[in-house]
Amino acid sequence: MGKYTLPELPYAYDALEPHIDAKTMEIHHTKHHQKYTDTLNGALEKCSSEIQNKDILEILSDLSKVPDDVRGAINFNGGGFDNHRLFWHNMKPNGGGEPGGAVADAINSSFGSFADFKEKFSSTTVVIQGSGWGWLVYNPSTSKVEYKSMPNQTSPRTEGLVPLLGCDVWEHAYYLKYQNKRPDYIAAWWNVVNWDEVNNRLSKAK
Ligand code: MN
């Protein structure tokens, strides 16, 4: 048994309908997230016990400590493991709307308004080439929130950024329902954003 196991979803596969369909959620969780988890465990087995004993978040924050021959695998699968466990919890049934609390203030400070943030996040995430993620992140060096798009499964943590809200735009996240219409998927995804969780992450990041 590997170090990491697939985390449970915090809701049923059909809970985000009609915005994200049950079949997509089931395959995404049981096949894709499982694969990142299993492959991460396999890559860690090739590392020294010193690295194996570190938490994956610590490993991702300094990949230079990881041996050359497994660095790519840990970047990809460690990122995939962590990104998806964040993703499941930054969505919820009957979510969406606008954030309150510290997240609202941080977004207004960095982007001008929630509408401007939403427009920037959507339009920049839509045009990610190939597979990747759009993120709202907290930057500890500036104490501000930022938008960041990341390729493939590379975690924002590899750049010292704390992920607050992620939108997975790999085709496996939307193709069954939305086919090539990534903009329609992102527009629907806003309806399931869990702003309470984003506020929790921001308060922990500060
Ligand atoms: Mn995914």
Side-chain angles (χ1 to χ4, degrees), residues 114-130:
F114 179 74
D116 287 333
F117 157 71
K118 188 173 174 181
E119 206 292 313
K120 158 115 183 161
F121 190 108
S122 296
S123 63
T124 315
T125 304
V126 162
V127 299
I128 291 173
Q129 294 184 337

Side-chain angles (χ1 to χ4, degrees), residues 21-96:
D21 63 286
K23 181 56 86 177
T24 295
M25 290 296 294
E26 182 181 355
I27 295 172
H28 201 170
H29 180 241
T30 64
K31 306 298 183 192
H32 294 279
H33 198 184
Q34 182 74 62
K35 183 76 184 292
Y36 299 124
T37 306
D38 293 344
T39 313
L40 169 63
N41 285 330
L44 287 171
E45 283 168 14
K46 295 176 185 157
C47 295
S48 66
S49 58
E50 185 193 349
I51 290 170
Q52 288 177 4
N53 290 335
K54 288 184 184 175
D55 187 81
I56 187 59
L57 301 190
E58 188 182 353
I59 296 172
L60 290 173
S61 71
D62 189 0
L63 285 167
S64 71
K65 300 260 171 39
V66 171
D68 290 351
D69 61 331
V70 291
R71 187 175 302 124
I74 290 183
N75 179 52
F76 187 82
N77 295 289
F81 171 74
D82 185 45
N83 291 343
H84 286 87
R85 64 180 178 174
L86 292 166
F87 183 58
W88 309 134
H89 285 268
N90 70 217
M91 300 188 292
K92 68 173 186 178
N94 304 310

Side-chain angles (χ1 to χ4, degrees), residues 120-184:
K120 158 115 183 161
F121 190 108
S122 296
S123 63
T124 315
T125 304
V126 162
V127 299
I128 291 173
Q129 294 184 337
S131 298
W133 291 70
W135 290 100
L136 176 71
V137 298
Y138 176 73
N139 186 337
S141 68
T142 61
S143 303
K144 298 193 63 112
V145 295
E146 302 172 2
Y147 173 84
K148 185 80 187 170
S149 62
M150 299 297 293
N152 299 308
Q153 296 295 355
T154 301
S155 168
R157 300 184 199 276
T158 61
E159 299 190 11
L161 303 167
V162 182
L164 302 176
L165 171 66
C167 182
D168 184 349
V169 291
W170 281 59
E171 285 185 345
H172 68 225
Y174 62 87
Y175 211 82
L176 289 180
K177 182 178 173 79
Y178 295 99
Q179 295 84 48
N180 59 311
K181 299 184 286 283
R182 187 188 277 180
D184 292 0

